Amino acid sequence: RRCARDTTATYRVLDEQRIGVVNACVQSDGSPYAVDGVAWVLDSETNAKLEVSFIPAWLRWLPFGRGDYWVIELDADYGWVVIGEPRRRYLWILARTPQLPAATYEAIVARLPAHGYDPARLLRSPGR
């Protein structure tokens, strides 16, 4: 919600059970915003269920401040992914390109109700 444009999510493998996450964007006043986090793999069989934390690194050992981060759909060529969580309150459509083709985006959105999500609640991130 705080991002006006150029929203990115960058991931890097830290080890077999952890992934580094940096979410960044440009805010409406033109200033950059970034937050560092860590995601832990909860389901090593599929790697589709993770737990993520963006609280400061020195507090991450505590058992709170973490959220579910579940892969709901994944493009066969890894061009996009749909991420949600079990309460269906949050959902992200992430892509490797600044914009998905309209037909791809519309097809993803059309499948969201089958996963229990209300497409009307989606907010599109402005492009570059």
Side-chain angles (χ1 to χ4, degrees), residues 16-125:
E16 287 187 20
Q17 294 299 311
R18 296 179 313 138
I19 299 165
V21 182
V22 177
N23 290 339
C25 69
V26 175
Q27 300 179 97
S28 59
D29 66 1
S31 64
Y33 172 79
V35 61
D36 251 332
V38 172
W40 292 267
V41 176
L42 299 179
D43 179 357
S44 59
E45 189 172 313
T46 66
N47 292 327
K49 292 184 180 178
L50 301 103
E51 191 173 62
V52 67
S53 174
F54 290 99
I55 62 175
W58 60 275
L59 287 175
R60 288 190 191 138
W61 62 273
L62 294 169
F64 62 83
R66 297 180 180 188
D68 292 312
Y69 193 88
W70 292 8
V71 176
I72 295 171
E73 289 192 13
L74 178 62
D75 179 42
D77 294 325
Y78 296 93
W80 55 264
V81 64
V82 179
I83 304 293
E85 50 85 36
R87 292 180 294 171
R88 310 282 188 296
R89 290 177 39 195
Y90 300 101
L91 177 84
W92 298 270
I93 300 171
L94 307 175
R96 290 191 181 269
T97 58
Q99 296 224 329
L100 281 172
T104 301
Y105 179 80
E106 290 166 13
I108 293 168
V109 170
R111 293 189 300 269
L112 293 178
H115 296 295
Y117 290 91
D118 178 3
R121 295 187 61 211
L122 279 176
L123 301 175
R124 286 194 82 167
S125 175

Side-chain angles (χ1 to χ4, degrees), residues 11-20:
Y11 303 94
R12 68 190 180 289
V13 175
L14 299 175
D15 57 44
E16 287 187 20
Q17 294 299 311
R18 296 179 313 138
I19 299 165

